[in-house]
Amino acid sequence: MLTEKKPTQFSPLALAYIGDGVYELFVRTKVIEEHENLPAGKLHKTTVRYVKAEAQARSLDALMPILTEDEIAVFKRGRNTKLNTVAKNASLTDYRKATGFEAVIGFLYIAGEEERLQELMNIAYENALDK
């Protein structure tokens, strides 16, 4: 376990904060595996396509049918949290979904649920882009 605190003791925004970092590192790793010879700027642009709010909202839609009750509860807490800012290139709906998605990722990371975390992040990655 990462911390002595239980994941449920963290605020939804704290879970989303750590989840954002965990998911971005996951995506960066996948992008480098798939496009190792791209210059850093192009790697970054490719990564952004997967981690922007719109992509995370799309990923969340694909994950909803397989989320557990606990994961859905964490998602809803994250989605419904009062937000002080909104991404400049995202709708409020997508931004809220993305915050809920990141909260789930953070929750699983802090809980040490590595296998489940990898499963959901792989599905999210596969569904992030508009095909």
Side-chain angles (χ1 to χ4, degrees):
M1 183 170 276
L2 183 76
T3 175
E4 294 298 314
K5 282 180 135 182
K6 293 179 182 176
T8 53
Q9 292 177 296
F10 289 89
S11 75
L13 290 180
L15 293 174
Y17 175 76
I18 192 74
D20 177 57
V22 169
Y23 187 63
E24 182 161 350
L25 181 58
F26 171 83
V27 169
R28 284 179 179 217
T29 302
K30 295 286 275 185
V31 167
I32 264 209
E33 287 173 352
E34 295 172 3
H35 309 284
E36 62 189 61
N37 293 322
L38 286 179
K42 288 190 179 184
L43 290 170
H44 175 72
K45 283 183 180 182
T46 302
T47 298
V48 167
R49 292 179 55 217
Y50 287 89
V51 300
K52 65 184 181 179
E54 179 185 350
Q56 288 182 353
R58 193 176 297 112
S59 294
L60 188 276
D61 290 339
L63 292 173
M64 282 306 285
I66 64 164
L67 292 181
T68 66
E69 285 183 32
D70 289 342
E71 292 163 351
I72 289 170
V74 170
F75 161 71
K76 287 180 178 178
R77 283 180 57 218
R79 177 196 65 193
N80 295 336
T81 298
K82 182 179 183 304
L83 302 170
N84 295 327
T85 61
V86 177
K88 56 186 164 192
N89 296 318
S91 72
L92 182 58
T93 300
D94 282 352
Y95 193 71
R96 287 187 176 281
K97 278 186 181 180
T99 302
F101 167 78
E102 291 170 346
V104 171
I105 298 300
F107 177 84
L108 293 172
Y109 176 75
I110 289 173
E113 299 283 339
E114 294 176 27
E115 190 173 310
R116 180 65 171 165
L117 178 62
Q118 287 298 315
E119 175 188 8
L120 294 186
M121 289 193 303
N122 278 313
I123 293 168
Y125 184 83
E126 293 300 320
N127 288 280
L129 301 182
D130 195 18
K131 296 176 181 170

